[in-house]
Amino acid sequence: MFKILKSLSNSLGGKSAAKKQAAAAKPGSLLDKVNKGAPVAKPEAPKTPEELCGLDPKMDKDQVLAQLKLLFRRYNRSASSLDAQTRHQAEKMLDAIVQMREKHFGEI
Amino acid sequence: MAEYVGIDLGTTLSGLAYLKPDGNPEIVPNSDGERLTPSVVFFDSHEDVKLVGSAARDGGEPDRTIFQIKRYMDDPEHLVDIDGKKWTPAEISALILSKLKRDCSKICGDITEVVITVPANFNELARKSTIAAAEMAGMTVKRLVNEPTAAAVYYAHSQGVKGRVLVFDLGGGTLDTTILEVAGDQIKILTSEGARHLGGSNFDDILLEAYAEQYRKQTGTALYTDERHRRRVLQATEDAKKMLSKLQRVNDTVANDQNSGIARIDLTRVEFEAMIRHMLTRTVFLVEQAMDSVNLKPSDIDHVVLVGGSTRIPKVKQLLEKMFGKTPKSCGNVDECVALGAALFAKKSAKIQEVCNASYGTLAMIYNAKTGEEKLANSIVIPKNTPIPCSRSQVYQTSEDNERVIEVDITQGEDEDAKFIDVIGRITLEVPPNRPKGCEIAVTFSYDENQRVRALVVDKQSGRSKEVAVSYKGAGVLSPEELKRRSAHLRAMRIE
Ligand SMILES: Nc1ncnc2c1ncn2[C@@H]1O[C@H](COP(=O)(O)OP(=O)(O)O)[C@@H](O)[C@H]1O
Ligand SMILES: [Mg+2]
C-alpha cells in the first residue's frame, strides 16, 4: 500500500486556519467532506438500530461484535465533541450500539 | 511549607493531599472540617463573597450556583454570566483551587507547587485551562497527571501490588479506565480510555425522570417547573441512589413547589439497575476497548481497582467481577485515592512511564495497490499508547506536478475514516518550482513527557523543513499578562 500526500492546496486554495470554517461551508471542499458528521444518522430517514449499526443478517457473531466495537470507539469519541449536533448524533448511535449488543449477546 | 502536594480537581468533589515526612500521603481537610470539598461555587448577591463547597451546594439560588464546571474546561465558548461579569471555566475552577489552597495551607503549611490530576482523555485546551486555574489561584503546576495513573500510584504504594492493573474510575461526570504494569515502585502505563458524560450524574438524571413520571401519575402535575426545584429533587434522587448502594429498597416522598400534593416513591435496587443498564453496558464497551487496544484478555489482568464514588454501586462491582472472574479491589476510600496518589506522584514522577494519549497523523490519499482504489484517510504517524517521550516518522509522496506549497494537515484520533478525527492544525511548506509528482516528504511527530506534541515536515529533495508545536492556541487560552492580572484580582477576593 502506498501512501500519497495529496495536494490539498487545490481544494482549499491556501486558506489560513482562521478561514477554515468558511472553507468548510463551501460545498465539495475537502474539509467539508472531512468534517461532516456521519451520514448514517440523517434525520429524514429513520432507521432501525440494525441499519444504524450497519449490521447484516449474514454477519456471524464475531463480525457483529467487531462492528459494534468499532462503532463504539468512533461514537464514544464523537460524544465528547464540542459540537452539540455531533454529540446528539453520537448519543443516538451509542444507544443503538448498546441495543444491538443486548440483542445479540444478552444483557449485562 | 508542604513540599509534595496533590490536588484532585474533580467534577463533583475536589481534594488535596500532601506527603507527610514518613512518605505517606494524607488528605488535608478544608476549614469546614470536610476531607473533600464539593466542586460547587456560589456567588452571593448580598455580600461580595464566593462560597465554595458544601455551603455553595446546599444554597438555594441556581442562577448563582455553578456545578460541574469541569465538564466545560475544553469549551472555549462556555462562559458563566454573574451580574454581567463573564467567568471562564478556568476562573471558576480557580475559585475552587483558591479555597483548597487557603484552607489547607493552615494545616499543612504554605502551598506553592502542586500536581493536579486530570482525566486521561482531557484535551490540550482543558489541560491548559487547568494549569491556568492553578496559576490564578497562586500555585505553580509542577505536573499534570492523569487521574487513573494517580489512583494506581496510590494503590501500588498502599497495597504493594505487582502485575497488570486495570483501574476503573467511575465518578460523577466521567468514566476513565487505565491499564498499567506495576513492578516495585516502577509503573508503566499501557493505555487509557475515557468516556465523557458517563457517570453518577447521568444516573441521578435518569432517576429524576422516574421521579417526575411517578409524580405525574400520582398527582397529574409536573414535579418541577423551575431550576431551583429541579435541583432540590435532583439532590433527593442522588440521596436515594446512594441508599440503594446499601439497601434493596428505598421509600421517598416528593412534592412540587406548587402545593399539588405529595407522591410516594417506592424504588428497588433491581429497578434502579434496570434504569442504568444501558449506561453500564457502555462501561463494558469501554473496558473492552482499553484491553483490545493493547491486545490483552481479561485473564491477563491481575488486579481490578475501583476508583470514584459511583463504583460503590453494587452492580458496577458485579459487572467487573463477572468480566474478570475476580473480585475488584478498592484502595480504601474510593473518592480520596486520586488526590493521595497525586501527592505521591509529586515525589515519584520519574518512576512512572506514560504513553501517548492520542494518535497523531496526517490526511493522505491512500492508494491500495491490490484494488487500485484511492481514498482520503487519516494516516497515523504516532499511534496512541506509544511510550513517551517518543518520535516517529512516515514518508509520503506528493501527488501533483509543479506543486509549490505542501500543506500537511495534522490529525488527532484513531479512526482511519477522516470523518471521525479532528484536524488540529496545518503545516505549510514552500518547495522549489518545476518538480514532478512523487517527491518524498517526511512527516515526523515527537511527543514529550508533558504530553506536548511537535510536528516536523521535511522535503527530502530540497532539504527544506518546518517544525511546529502542535498545541491549542485558539480561543480560551489566556495570555501570560492576562493571567497575571486575573490572578492578582482573585487574590483580593473573599472566598469561603
Ligand atoms: N454510595 C454511593 N452510591 C452510588 N453513587 C455514589 C455513592 N457515593 C458517591 N456516589 C456518586 O459518586 C459521584 C462522585 O464521585 P467522585 O469520584 O467524587 O466524582 P468526580 O471524580 O467526578 O468528582 C457522584 O455522582 C455521587 O453521587
Ligand atoms: Mg474523580
Side-chain angles (χ1 to χ4, degrees):
Chain A
M1 205 159 76
F2 278 135
K3 288 184 179 165
I4 304 176
L5 191 75
K6 186 99 177 174
S7 164
L8 303 180
S9 39
N10 300 336
S11 48
L12 288 166
K15 288 206 168 57
S16 72
K19 286 186 191 154
K20 240 181 190 175
Q21 267 173 339
K26 247 179 30 197
S29 83
L30 181 72
L31 268 173
D32 191 31
K33 281 181 209 137
V34 168
N35 289 343
K36 268 276 162 60
V40 278
K42 281 255 168 66
E44 59 268 25
K47 289 186 171 170
T48 63
E50 269 91 355
E51 287 171 330
L52 284 174
C53 298
L55 296 185
D56 182 324
K58 276 177 280 185
M59 287 177 160
D60 64 27
K61 282 218 154 188
D62 287 348
Q63 287 171 316
V64 170
L65 189 59
Q67 170 77 353
L68 294 178
K69 283 179 170 182
L70 178 126
L71 292 177
F72 179 82
R73 179 183 281 278
R74 195 171 262 183
Y75 289 98
N76 178 50
R77 182 182 162 86
S78 329
S80 58
S81 160
L82 282 182
D83 175 50
Q85 170 84 28
T86 308
R87 251 189 348 250
H88 180 72
Q89 225 173 59
E91 283 297 323
K92 269 177 44 187
M93 281 303 295
L94 288 171
D95 281 340
I97 295 163
V98 165
Q99 266 186 50
M100 285 301 97
R101 184 179 180 124
E102 292 193 342
K103 181 174 166 187
H104 291 270
F105 301 93
E107 287 173 11
I108 51 164
Chain B
M1 196 187 81
E3 197 177 352
Y4 301 109
V5 177
I7 296 180
D8 171 10
L9 182 59
T11 312
T12 331
L13 296 168
S14 295
L16 184 146
Y18 81 116
L19 212 57
K20 290 184 295 177
D22 69 3
N24 288 311
E26 187 166 278
I27 293 282
V28 186
N30 65 23
S31 298
D32 308 317
E34 298 161 324
R35 295 170 68 79
L36 298 169
T37 304
S39 309
V40 185
V41 179
F42 172 70
F43 292 81
D44 193 63
S45 54
H46 308 292
E47 292 175 57
D48 188 18
V49 61
K50 280 89 194 155
L51 297 183
V52 175
S54 300
R57 184 187 57 195
D58 304 336
E61 284 181 80
D63 297 349
R64 312 183 70 88
T65 311
I66 317 305
F67 290 86
Q68 302 204 340
I69 194 64
K70 188 174 174 181
R71 288 193 171 205
Y72 307 99
M73 291 295 267
D74 62 351
D75 185 350
E77 267 142 43
H78 187 90
L79 292 172
V80 177
D81 190 328
I82 304 283
D83 302 327
K85 179 183 172 354
K86 296 199 167 37
W87 295 75
T88 62
E91 286 174 297
I92 304 280
S93 302
L95 294 171
I96 300 168
L97 290 172
S98 287
K99 175 172 169 83
L100 289 175
K101 175 180 157 81
R102 290 180 194 187
D103 287 11
C104 299
S105 58
K106 289 180 201 155
I107 294 173
C108 68
D110 234 14
I111 300 166
T112 52
E113 203 181 57
V114 292
V115 164
I116 300 189
T117 64
V118 290
N121 66 344
F122 240 24
N123 71 12
E124 172 91 8
L125 173 59
R127 284 169 193 265
K128 278 195 168 153
S129 301
T130 304
I131 294 173
E135 285 177 6
M136 283 189 254
M139 297 180 283
T140 308
V141 177
K142 187 193 242 170
R143 274 282 290 275
L144 292 178
V145 59
N146 294 337
E147 285 157 15
T149 305
V153 170
Y154 179 65
Y155 182 69
H157 173 85
S158 62
Q159 318 273 316
V161 292
K162 268 203 198 82
R164 272 193 213 104
V165 179
L166 182 135
V167 179
F168 182 91
D169 179 356
L170 188 60
T174 51
L175 167 65
D176 265 296
T177 176
T178 291
I179 302 173
L180 44 103
E181 262 171 13
V182 182
D185 61 356
Q186 301 283 333
I187 293 185
K188 215 166 102 190
I189 309 298
L190 301 180
T191 189
S192 287
E193 299 285 355
R196 292 282 299 274
H197 311 298
L198 206 180
S201 64
N202 297 92
F203 308 156
D204 303 341
D205 287 339
I206 292 172
L207 271 181
L208 181 68
E209 258 174 54
Y211 271 45
E213 197 188 306
Q214 273 299 316
Y215 193 78
R216 193 182 307 277
K217 262 195 196 148
Q218 292 179 36
T219 69
T221 49
L223 178 54
Y224 54 86
T225 48
D226 66 1
E227 180 59 20
R228 179 192 301 241
H229 198 62
R230 194 188 75 89
R231 274 269 155 222
R232 279 214 191 110
V233 186
L234 196 63
Q235 187 62 54
T237 62
E238 186 183 354
D239 292 343
K241 173 187 76 175
K242 290 183 183 170
M243 293 276 278
L244 285 172
S245 292
K246 295 198 165 142
L247 304 174
Q248 288 293 339
R249 173 172 230 126
V250 292
N251 291 311
D252 204 354
T253 51
V254 281
N256 68 7
D257 54 356
Q258 323 273 318
N259 279 325
S260 316
I262 287 177
R264 266 186 68 81
I265 307 283
D266 186 20
L267 193 68
T268 65
R269 185 187 286 175
V270 174
E271 286 162 347
F272 172 63
E273 288 171 352
M275 288 179 204
I276 64 169
R277 194 187 70 230
H278 282 185
M279 284 294 174
L280 296 182
T281 303
R282 291 193 195 182
T283 68
V284 172
F285 266 116
L286 197 82
V287 170
E288 288 173 349
Q289 179 172 315
M291 287 191 296
D292 288 348
S293 74
V294 284
N295 294 315
L296 292 177
K297 302 182 297 300
S299 58
D300 298 325
I301 304 290
D302 301 306
H303 308 269
V304 178
V305 175
L306 301 175
V307 181
S310 300
T311 58
R312 292 201 179 92
I313 297 173
K315 184 75 184 174
V316 171
K317 287 181 218 164
Q318 286 160 19
L319 263 180
L320 292 164
E321 177 145 12
K322 190 169 149 196
M323 209 170 168
F324 290 95
K326 52 176 79 77
T327 312
K329 309 215 173 75
S330 56
C331 34
N333 192 341
V334 289
D335 342 88
E336 293 181 353
C337 54
V338 171
L340 291 164
L344 282 166
F345 186 88
K347 189 168 185 191
K348 296 188 176 185
S349 61
K351 305 207 160 167
I352 293 147
Q353 160 87 69
E354 300 215 63
V355 293
C356 297
N357 283 330
S359 302
Y360 290 88
T362 178
L363 291 179
M365 290 308 290
I366 297 190
Y367 175 68
N368 185 327
K370 261 195 218 142
T371 61
E373 258 176 58
E374 213 184 34
K375 68 170 185 194
L376 182 77
N378 175 35
S379 159
I380 292 173
V381 176
I382 198 157
K384 182 184 161 102
N385 300 335
T386 307
I388 54 176
C390 59
S391 175
R392 294 277 187 286
S393 296
Q394 171 82 51
V395 176
Y396 299 89
Q397 294 176 348
T398 56
S399 61
E400 317 271 322
D401 293 329
N402 304 321
E403 260 185 294
R404 289 302 316 273
V405 179
I406 307 288
E407 293 192 308
V408 179
D409 281 296
I410 297 167
T411 64
Q412 187 187 52
E414 284 68 59
D415 218 296
E416 190 186 303
D417 189 332
K419 280 199 294 286
F420 298 96
I421 48 96
D422 295 315
V423 178
I424 57 167
R426 171 179 296 175
I427 300 179
T428 311
L429 182 67
E430 264 185 59
V431 290
N434 302 324
R435 302 198 307 176
K437 64 183 173 189
C439 292
E440 287 191 333
I441 308 287
V443 178
T444 304
F445 283 91
S446 33
Y447 215 104
D448 73 12
E449 294 86 347
N450 291 313
Q451 305 273 352
R452 289 279 140 109
V453 187
R454 296 187 71 77
L456 169 73
V457 176
V458 181
D459 174 42
K460 288 207 166 176
Q461 193 192 48
S462 67
R464 290 189 196 177
S465 67
K466 203 172 221 176
E467 187 175 19
V468 297
V470 178
S471 68
Y472 183 92
K473 297 193 203 73
V477 174
L478 296 176
S479 68
E481 300 78 48
E482 185 64 8
L483 204 62
K484 250 193 203 141
R485 201 180 62 74
R486 300 207 190 179
S487 161
H489 183 59
L490 207 94
R491 238 164 279 172
M493 251 178 230
R494 213 180 119 201
I495 302 167
E496 285 183 12

